[in-house]
Amino acid sequence: MQNKKVLLSIGCVLIIATLNSGCQGDLSDVSKGSKGEAAIPTGAAIVVQATTTPLETSVTTPEVKASDAPKAKSVSLFEEQIPDFDGSGRGYIVDGNELQTEFLVHKILPLGLFMPETMLRFDLNGGTAWGSEDKQNYITIVGATDATRLPTITGEDPTLSKYKEYLGNYVDGEGTIDVFSFVAKGQSYRALIRTNADQRAYLRPLFMDMIRDIHYLEKRAALVAGVFVKEPEMEDLKEKKQILTEVMRCLEALVSKDKEKFNSTLYYTGEGDRLQYWIDNNNIFRFNELIYEKQANDSKRVMFYVNYEQMTSEGYYSERTVSIPLLRNKQGEWKVADID
């Protein structure tokens, strides 16, 4: 097969050479033939050269239109109504990392926000601010009365003018304070964001997220802590005295934050670690009702439900119910198996 390819190539070369050397005759000779047929010289070869035209494809470039910038005062920064705080949490993404937060309230106003763990809350002009440790970049909230004493607004940041609540800004030493207006429970407030020029690009987006999450928290009188339960009916239990004693000791330990006493009431060794959040907090507990759930005669478990009130250190009040099962240990003592 390879030899045939070589002979074919040699033949093509000879034909081309013959044409170049021996086919230079007068074009009139072509007309010499019989019956109107053109005469073709002997030994001549007709070479047909194929030509290709690139396929032209119509390419339509899509028209790119830039989105129009939001018009001034066209975007709402806050929800239609400032929501009530419900005990939930928040996290903010900064430089690809999630910052954990804690809901911290204003010391006078019934408002609070979720402050990242990298910041601190501090007193400012008789009120409260949340911000950087150097206290140069922060958020503060003032009521309608205090808002009338704010400096005159003299400027405006074009990147913030789209927000309906944005009133403008004014210079404060080396910083700038941007002012936003909002209403909560029918009362008018101002949220102020202060940033220095060197921190503005980094902190202001985070501060904007924080004021979007302002929540309302009603100020309440402090909850009176304690165990105020009555002994429930539990005639079917032979060891009800020891059982009740252990439950009461557990509740008393939660009220007093007595870790040693609390751990001594638990059934499982090391269970104090899993249930430690019941002790490691500043919450106030008021236990109001202890309910016994009757078990089968052969049951190895005793179950109680406890209705109680709770108030966090920030003043968040809630009413809850928790279950407390007890099991008998190897020493024959009834101990708290869980609090859930």
Side-chain angles (χ1 to χ4, degrees):
M1 184 67 181
Q2 186 174 1
N3 293 335
K4 289 183 180 180
K5 289 183 179 180
V6 174
L7 292 174
L8 181 58
S9 299
I10 295 173
C12 291
V13 173
L14 292 175
I15 291 173
I16 295 172
T18 304
L19 288 174
N20 289 338
S21 61
C23 296
Q24 304 295 331
D26 193 341
L27 290 177
S28 60
D29 292 340
V30 178
S31 62
K32 296 178 182 179
S34 61
K35 298 181 182 181
E37 293 180 359
I40 300 177
T42 305
I46 299 176
V47 179
V48 179
Q49 183 174 0
T51 59
T52 59
T53 302
L55 181 62
E56 296 182 0
T57 304
S58 178
V59 178
T60 302
T61 302
E63 185 179 357
V64 178
K65 293 184 178 180
S67 300
D68 294 333
K71 295 180 180 180
K73 308 298 182 183
S74 64
V75 179
S76 291
L77 178 62
F78 299 97
E79 296 183 19
E80 185 176 349
Q81 294 183 348
I82 298 299
D84 292 329
F85 179 63
D86 61 2
S88 61
R90 293 287 188 282
Y92 296 121
I93 303 298
V94 177
D95 291 340
N97 299 313
E98 183 175 7
L99 294 179
Q100 298 300 315
T101 68
E102 181 181 3
F103 184 76
L104 299 177
V105 299
H106 194 285
K107 71 176 186 179
I108 299 173
L109 303 176
L111 299 165
L113 45 75
F114 297 90
M115 190 187 77
E117 57 192 353
T118 55
M119 296 183 180
L120 78 161
R121 176 178 57 180
F122 55 92
D123 291 341
L124 179 70
N125 300 327
T128 301
W130 305 260
S132 57
E133 292 185 356
D134 60 8
K135 301 182 181 180
Q136 296 300 302
N137 302 272
Y138 56 77
I139 297 171
T140 188
I141 302 173
V142 298
T145 301
D146 292 331
T148 62
R149 296 195 290 267
L150 292 176
T152 302
I153 291 174
T154 57
E156 181 174 295
D157 189 319
T159 63
L160 301 177
S161 62
K162 63 183 179 181
Y163 294 112
K164 296 177 180 179
E165 300 85 356
Y166 183 58
L167 301 180
N169 60 34
Y170 58 87
V171 175
D172 179 55
E174 297 181 358
T176 299
I177 293 184
D178 291 295
V179 185
F180 300 84
S181 173
F182 68 98
V183 175
K185 305 295 184 182
Q187 299 296 316
S188 179
Y189 300 94
R190 300 289 185 270
L192 313 180
I193 295 180
R194 186 190 191 279
T195 50
N196 285 341
D198 61 336
Q199 292 292 311
R200 188 167 299 128
Y202 174 75
L203 284 176
R204 195 165 65 180
L206 175 57
F207 284 155
M208 293 294 289
D209 285 340
M210 290 169 65
I211 66 172
R212 282 189 185 94
D213 276 334
I214 290 175
H215 279 59
Y216 183 87
L217 182 60
E218 179 183 355
K219 299 291 184 181
R220 300 176 62 106
L223 185 66
V224 177
V227 180
F228 301 94
V229 302
K230 295 181 179 179
E231 181 178 322
E233 292 293 333
M234 39 193 306
E235 296 297 332
D236 61 320
L237 286 182
K238 297 179 181 180
E239 301 171 292
K240 68 176 185 178
K241 184 176 180 179
Q242 194 268 318
I243 293 172
L244 282 173
T245 298
E246 209 64 19
V247 171
M248 294 295 289
R249 290 183 68 247
C250 178
L251 297 180
E252 290 167 357
L254 296 182
V255 171
S256 62
K257 312 298 182 190
D258 188 331
K259 183 177 180 179
E260 183 177 354
K261 184 176 181 179
F262 174 65
N263 288 340
S264 71
T265 68
L266 301 181
Y267 176 83
Y268 294 105
T269 303
E271 193 69 3
D273 294 335
R274 186 177 70 83
L275 299 176
Q276 205 60 54
Y277 66 92
W278 282 98
I279 294 291
D280 293 339
N281 59 66
N282 295 317
N283 298 343
I284 298 172
F285 297 112
R286 180 186 176 93
F287 298 102
N288 298 316
E289 186 178 18
L290 183 63
I291 303 170
Y292 166 65
E293 184 182 81
K294 188 174 182 179
Q295 305 292 302
N297 292 332
D298 59 346
S299 176
K300 298 180 180 179
R301 183 184 72 164
V302 175
M303 174 66 78
F304 291 95
Y305 293 94
V306 184
N307 294 327
Y308 68 100
E309 299 169 81
Q310 173 182 292
M311 182 175 283
T312 69
S313 58
E314 293 299 306
Y316 175 60
Y317 171 84
S318 58
E319 297 180 3
R320 305 184 180 190
T321 299
V322 68
S323 63
I324 301 182
L326 285 83
L327 300 174
R328 190 201 300 268
N329 63 16
K330 294 180 180 179
Q331 290 75 36
E333 302 171 317
W334 289 92
K335 295 291 183 179
V336 174
D338 200 1
I339 304 175
D340 186 18

